[in-house]
């Protein structure tokens, strides 16, 4: 991305990347790319090792094994990695988002303010779905951002925020909301070579009104028609923390005979995607592809397996930004979108105090990719 060619480039501080528990794999890939980009530095690794041990009571602490004085530190934090466990009173516990966030604060505190600049790379925003207040309830996402800024974090990088307007909670601090648009389209073109990205054969659809802005970008950059489902909810009761969906109502152009790209920020249980896919199939949709930055699958993979067998869903594309269900890689319906190189570009560019505007808007790369579809390039 950057053309060094032996020239002296402005560097904010010595680069240090800290991988929190569960992020070791993607951090290793990022480290490998950074060493390629910055071969002139001839360093063995950009990873700074930290440990967050737990006492038998479940209490914890952080120990930084190397100095970060004057460094430009990037902490990679996956608050949704339930695959990490610890022992408390002899019982094995899976780490919750709260546990990971507490460890993040421990790491920042252990630096003691000695780092030159601290950036938190939190792909899926902690408490991102609790982004607004309705009645007497906590505003967790805003509190989280303000707490990190108060601790000395200068910038936060997240991907596909549930509501990017949460950045208003920290108006004087950095907040970069990155979209995996290009990577998703590239993965689709590779996995489905016969895809035709024109408005006669393909349509983009949002599964709800909240995701329209996300889908509008896909629609605009690909010159495709746009549709939307409206979720009718039962506001008289709450189930699993939310008002249950009564039905999905479609608003948009005819989908008969067309491939459909459904775009959302996450798949939680998968029920909404299946309901939407079923409704689209009834209207004559040809194939259904789902783009979701984060595949949580909180109720397991079997419900998606059944939908795939019944022909409701053809492919689901999710990123490797967060922990994935171990059985996901064996599913025929799943395609993983690797984001490690993109993350490396972001970190490298910011460490040189250069603009990331071109990285955040990949329209030119998408147009080139679409133009080369079917040419074998």
């Amino acid at each position: 991305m950057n053309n060094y060619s032996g020239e002296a480039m402005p560097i904010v501080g010595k680069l240090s990347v800290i991988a929190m528990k569960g992020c070791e794999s993607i951090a290793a890939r990022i480290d490998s790319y950074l060493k390629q980009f910055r071969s002139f530095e001839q360093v063995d690794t950009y990873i700074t090792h930290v440990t967050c041990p737990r006492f038998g009571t479940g209490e914890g602490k952080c120990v930084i094994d190397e100095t970060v004085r004057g460094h430009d530190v990037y902490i990679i934090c996956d608050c949704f990695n339930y695959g990490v466990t610890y022992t408390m009173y002899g019982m094995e516990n899976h780490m919750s988002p709260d546990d990971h966030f507490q460890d993040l604060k421990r790491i920042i505190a252990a630096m003691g303010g000695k780092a030159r600049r601290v950036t938190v790379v939190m792909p899926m925003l902690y408490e991102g779905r609790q982004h607004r207040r309705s009645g007497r309830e906590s505003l967790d996402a805003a509190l989280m951002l303000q707490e990190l800024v108060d601790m000395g974090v200068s910038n936060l990088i997240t991907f596909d925020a549930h509501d990017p307007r949460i950045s208003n909670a920290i108006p004087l601090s950095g907040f970069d909301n990155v979209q995996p648009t290009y990577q998703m389209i590239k993965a689709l073109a590779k996995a489905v070579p016969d895809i035709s990205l024109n408005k006669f054969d393909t349509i983009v659809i949002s599964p709800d009104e909240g995701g329209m802005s996300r889908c509008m970008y896909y629609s605009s950059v690909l010159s495709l028609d746009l549709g939307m489902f409206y979720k009718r909810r039962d506001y008289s009761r709450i189930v699993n923390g939310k008002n249950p969906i009564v039905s999905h109502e479609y608003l948009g152009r005819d989908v008969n005979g067309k491939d459909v790209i459904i775009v959302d920020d996450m798949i939680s249980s998968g029920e909404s995607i299946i309901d939407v896919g079923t409704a689209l199939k009834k209207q004559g949709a040809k194939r259904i592809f789902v783009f979701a930055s984060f595949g949580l699958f909180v109720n397991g993979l079997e419900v998606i397996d059944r939908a795939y067998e019944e022909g409701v869903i053809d492919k689901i594309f999710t990123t490797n930004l967060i922990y994935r269900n171990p059985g996901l890689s064996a599913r025929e319906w799943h395609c993983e979108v690797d984001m490690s190189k993109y993350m490396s570009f972001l970190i490298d560019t910011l460490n040189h105090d250069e603009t990331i505007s071109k990285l955040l808007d990949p329209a030119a790369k998408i147009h080139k990719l679409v133009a080369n579809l079917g040419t074998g390039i």
Side-chain angles (χ1 to χ4, degrees):
M1 180 59 61
N2 294 310
N3 181 20
Y4 300 109
S5 65
E7 299 178 9
M9 300 292 290
I11 296 179
V12 171
K14 184 177 179 181
L15 178 59
S16 287
V17 176
I18 294 177
M20 290 185 58
K21 287 182 180 178
C23 298
E24 296 85 358
S25 177
I26 194 167
R29 294 177 65 86
I30 290 171
D31 185 47
S32 177
Y33 282 119
L34 288 173
K35 286 187 288 186
Q36 293 178 34
F37 301 159
R38 305 159 71 103
S39 57
F40 62 94
E41 289 188 335
Q42 297 182 341
V43 300
D44 294 329
T45 182
Y46 290 99
I47 302 293
T48 295
H49 294 283
V50 304
T51 54
C52 293
R54 296 267 176 169
F55 299 101
T57 57
E59 298 168 287
K61 65 177 181 179
C62 172
V63 179
I64 299 180
D65 300 325
E66 306 163 37
T67 181
V68 293
R69 185 183 294 273
H71 290 201
D72 192 9
V73 179
Y74 293 80
I75 307 173
I76 302 175
C77 173
D78 177 10
C79 288
F80 297 85
N81 192 326
Y82 61 91
V84 179
T85 62
Y86 65 93
T87 302
M88 183 173 69
Y89 290 98
M91 298 176 289
E92 186 179 49
N93 290 269
H94 291 265
M95 287 189 69
S96 69
D98 292 341
D99 290 323
H100 284 291
F101 182 59
Q102 196 65 29
D103 275 355
L104 171 62
K105 292 190 292 182
R106 290 185 176 111
I107 292 172
I108 298 169
M111 295 180 193
K114 301 301 189 296
R116 185 181 298 270
R117 185 167 67 182
V118 177
T119 298
V120 172
V121 183
M122 187 183 290
M124 185 172 175
L125 201 62
Y126 171 73
E127 293 291 355
R129 284 186 284 183
Q130 191 53 27
H131 58 96
R132 61 186 178 191
R133 175 176 286 154
S134 299
R136 299 186 186 93
E137 60 183 25
S138 56
L139 197 55
D140 296 55
L143 289 173
M144 176 271 297
L145 292 174
Q146 291 174 357
E147 191 169 4
L148 291 181
V149 169
D150 289 343
M151 293 186 72
V153 173
S154 59
N155 192 41
L156 188 138
I157 300 173
T158 192
F159 287 76
D160 209 349
H162 193 66
D163 187 345
R165 291 174 296 182
I166 194 62
S167 62
N168 293 334
I170 49 171
L172 300 182
S173 299
F175 183 96
D176 292 309
N177 180 38
V178 185
Q179 299 291 336
T181 312
Y182 171 72
Q183 287 77 14
M184 285 289 185
I185 297 172
K186 183 178 179 181
L188 174 64
K190 182 177 180 181
V192 189
D194 64 336
I195 189 71
S196 179
L197 295 176
N198 63 68
K199 66 179 182 179
F200 303 105
D201 301 315
T202 307
I203 186 171
V204 176
I205 289 180
S206 174
D208 54 44
E209 61 275 19
M212 276 299 287
S213 61
R214 186 181 297 108
C215 291
M216 285 171 64
Y217 184 84
Y218 278 93
S219 172
S220 175
V221 77
L222 293 174
S223 299
L224 300 178
D225 287 333
L226 178 64
M228 182 194 81
F229 274 85
Y230 168 66
K231 292 180 180 178
R232 291 183 56 229
R233 294 182 179 271
D234 181 358
Y235 289 99
S236 65
R237 59 196 180 101
I238 296 177
V239 179
N240 294 328
K242 58 185 179 182
N243 301 107
I245 299 170
V246 176
S247 66
H248 290 84
E249 306 289 344
Y250 178 64
L251 303 173
R253 292 184 179 274
D254 185 17
V255 300
N256 186 41
K258 293 184 178 181
D259 288 330
V260 176
I261 301 174
I262 301 173
V263 184
D264 209 351
D265 59 334
M266 70 179 74
I267 297 176
S268 183
S269 65
E271 293 177 359
S272 291
I273 291 295
I274 293 172
D275 289 344
V276 167
T278 301
L280 290 169
K281 283 291 185 178
K282 289 180 179 178
Q283 296 181 39
K286 183 181 177 184
R287 294 179 294 183
I288 295 180
F289 307 111
V290 181
F291 290 172
S293 298
F294 310 111
L296 303 176
F297 304 106
V298 297
N299 292 336
L301 304 176
E302 291 73 20
V303 64
I304 308 294
D305 289 338
R306 288 193 295 271
Y308 175 68
E309 291 169 1
E310 294 169 0
V312 175
I313 301 293
D314 289 88
K315 290 285 185 184
I316 295 180
F317 297 81
T318 66
T319 71
N320 62 339
L321 290 168
I322 62 171
Y323 178 75
R324 282 88 66 211
N325 186 307
L328 202 55
S329 60
R331 265 44 181 199
E332 292 183 0
W333 48 262
H334 180 255
C335 292
E336 183 168 283
V337 180
D338 183 19
M339 299 295 295
S340 56
K341 189 173 185 178
Y342 190 26
M343 293 175 71
S344 305
F345 281 143
L346 291 168
I347 291 172
D348 183 51
T349 304
L350 289 172
N351 178 237
H352 286 84
D353 242 5
E354 295 182 347
T355 179
I356 60 172
S357 297
K358 291 184 178 179
L359 290 174
L360 297 180
D361 185 8
K365 294 180 68 176
I366 293 173
H367 291 152
K368 182 178 180 181
L369 174 65
V370 173
N372 291 332
L373 276 177
T375 66
I377 297 178

